[in-house]
Amino acid sequence: MGKILEVENLEQRFDLNKGILDKLKFKNGKFIKEERIVNAVNNISFSIDKGKVFSLVGESGCGKSTTARTIIKLLEPKGGNIKFDGVDITNLTREEMLKYRKRIQMIFQDPYASLNPRQKIIDILIEPILFHKIADSNEEARERALEILEKVGIRPEQGERYPHQFSGGQRQRVGIARALAVEPEFIIADEPVSALDVSIQAQILNLLMDLKDEYNFSYLLIAHNLSVVKHISDDLGVMYLGKIVEKGSKEQIFHSPLHPYTKLLFSVVPKLSGSNLKNSKNIEGEIPSAINLPLGCYFHERCPYAKSVCREEMPLEKEVEDGHFVLCHQY
Ligand SMILES: Nc1ncnc2c1ncn2[C@@H]1O[C@H](COP(=O)(O)OP(=O)(O)O)[C@@H](O)[C@H]1O
Ligand SMILES: [Mg+2]
């Protein structure tokens, strides 16, 4: 079958120290140097089989978007490596990445922010089609754009409208159409339904599923909520403070979750149907800062099972059953 994406020991950091003076803090009567580095992605590994959906799940701020932006090299990786369709793309230059920009497309949480408000919907699609030479002429590009709009449920005459004339759900359909327009093989969807009404979320997820069946894409789907990824995923990774704390098949994660954090995420899953949303609990405990990572297991401060070893040592990844990995001292 082969892998579309292989990520190995990926690391990403943001240096918040703008200048040397920012680093100096006055403490106990003297200046000390204080590094302020956000450790957004801390040595993660996962791979995605061709034609499959891998979902990355975790609370806001755990490093999901940073992982996505690093994979498409909007950010240079600080460590580790990335292979796309068997080719190491870790150190490719911007120019060398261009051909991958066509093969890898992104769908964003807020399509409004990524759609040019002054461009008609049809032109938003025509532009990348011409840029990536999917069509030879303007007419051909327009034809293709209309075809894709139809696929995502937007009528031809609606193509003459501007983004602000659409609802959130329709705008996300446009975002999806734009990704589709250049015939990608791999789609990274970063919280594609988080900004939408619950009633619309299922429609958009179904659309993503249908398109996958038709085109046989591979997906990296990002969500902060397990219920969103339940139907669409083949495999999942659960992320906490820049680490993947558990990964495995959908069946493994949903039927026998291992990590205390995964279990915590399940305890707050709101139901997509019905009005249970109000009843869903909030996850207890603060997420520690990615600037001052805790010693030991990053989760120990919120973990009901934490032992002394958890406060001192980062657990090693263990394969508990075939393909089911966990990062926890309990196992
Ligand atoms: N450009 C940036 N500069 C500094 N810190 C950033 C930047 N982008 C993200 N971060 C920080 O990195 C961490 C991970 O963020 P992000 O990847 O956006 O999380 P998620 O997508 O899971 O909500 C957070 O602590 C966030 O504040
Ligand atoms: Mg994000």
Side-chain angles (χ1 to χ4, degrees):
M1 182 188 300
K3 306 273 186 201
I4 192 74
L5 185 77
E6 292 157 271
V7 170
E8 227 178 62
N9 303 324
L10 192 69
E11 290 177 51
Q12 190 55 270
R13 286 182 284 278
F14 300 104
D15 190 347
L16 300 183
N17 307 297
K18 288 195 199 71
I20 182 77
L21 285 178
D22 291 330
K23 287 190 195 173
L24 296 179
K25 291 272 142 46
F26 198 67
K27 221 176 185 175
N28 300 332
K30 56 183 178 191
F31 282 104
I32 56 161
K33 205 171 128 201
E34 192 181 73
E35 301 282 349
R36 285 163 64 234
I37 299 197
V38 181
N39 300 287
V41 177
N42 301 310
N43 210 317
I44 67 169
S45 303
F46 64 96
S47 62
I48 306 179
D49 290 334
K50 282 187 182 165
K52 299 287 183 191
V53 180
F54 183 92
S55 296
L56 210 47
V57 185
E59 285 162 285
S60 175
C62 71
K64 305 180 297 295
S65 297
T66 304
T67 301
R69 293 171 67 211
T70 307
I71 288 170
I72 55 170
K73 306 276 306 288
L74 284 175
L75 299 167
E76 285 303 315
K78 295 291 188 313
N81 57 68
I82 306 160
K83 265 191 202 165
F84 179 73
D85 200 9
V87 178
D88 193 329
I89 60 168
T90 321
N91 298 310
L92 294 192
T93 61
R94 222 158 244 280
E95 262 171 23
E96 292 167 327
M97 265 310 281
L98 258 186
K99 67 175 173 204
Y100 294 98
R101 287 276 147 79
K102 171 191 168 306
R103 299 174 69 187
I104 310 173
Q105 284 291 304
M106 268 198 84
I107 298 169
F108 298 93
Q109 172 176 352
D110 177 5
Y112 202 43
S114 65
L115 300 174
N116 181 346
R118 279 183 277 279
Q119 245 183 342
K120 286 182 189 168
I121 300 303
I122 184 89
D123 293 326
I124 288 175
L125 297 202
I126 288 175
E127 199 174 80
I129 292 174
L130 289 175
F131 178 82
H132 287 291
K133 302 187 174 67
I134 308 280
D136 297 325
S137 65
N138 281 338
E139 274 94 279
E140 206 186 306
R142 172 171 294 268
E143 241 168 69
R144 171 152 181 86
L146 288 171
E147 219 173 274
I148 298 284
L149 282 178
E150 195 188 339
K151 288 258 187 259
V152 302
I154 291 183
R155 295 192 307 277
E157 68 271 20
Q158 291 178 308
E160 298 303 316
R161 297 190 189 160
Y162 293 88
H164 73 266
Q165 295 172 293
F166 282 103
S167 67
Q170 281 173 315
R171 275 202 292 266
Q172 193 54 292
R173 287 175 191 273
V174 174
I176 293 168
R178 183 178 53 182
L180 280 183
V182 301
E183 301 174 338
E185 293 151 61
F186 178 50
I187 292 184
I188 301 180
D190 189 356
E191 307 224 22
V193 300
S194 300
L196 304 176
D197 288 347
V198 174
S199 59
I200 310 291
Q201 291 189 0
Q203 291 174 17
I204 295 295
L205 289 171
N206 284 337
L207 174 63
L208 290 174
M209 282 278 259
D210 292 345
L211 294 170
K212 178 181 119 61
D213 290 343
E214 183 169 350
Y215 294 95
N216 202 31
F217 302 126
S218 319
Y219 277 110
L220 172 59
L221 175 64
I222 293 174
H224 62 255
N225 179 324
L226 276 163
S227 65
V228 162
V229 301
K230 178 162 186 184
H231 296 291
I232 188 166
S233 309
D234 295 297
D235 298 296
L236 283 104
V238 177
M239 215 169 162
Y240 187 78
L241 267 186
K243 280 231 172 267
I244 292 185
V245 296
E246 180 166 359
K247 67 188 174 202
S249 70
K250 174 169 77 179
E251 289 71 28
Q252 288 168 339
I253 302 284
F254 275 81
H255 294 152
S256 45
L258 298 172
H259 199 283
Y261 180 62
T262 312
K263 294 176 186 169
L264 188 68
L265 278 182
F266 274 114
S267 74
V268 297
V269 167
K271 302 278 176 297
L272 261 182
S273 56
S275 57
N276 300 14
L277 265 178
K278 286 193 283 298
N279 301 336
S280 71
K281 294 181 288 178
N282 278 321
I283 298 184
E284 278 177 34
E286 292 261 314
I287 309 180
S289 148
I291 296 180
N292 298 305
L293 288 172
L295 271 181
C297 170
Y298 293 167
F299 187 61
H300 79 254
E301 289 166 11
R302 297 168 81 191
C303 182
Y305 313 104
K307 301 173 292 199
S308 60
V309 61
C310 307
R311 288 182 272 276
E312 287 150 19
E313 275 173 50
M314 169 63 74
L316 297 172
E317 189 175 74
K318 219 164 279 162
E319 188 169 10
V320 172
E321 51 181 325
D322 193 26
H324 191 177
F325 296 85
V326 67
L327 206 66
C328 175
H329 285 298
Q330 278 189 82
Y331 300 95

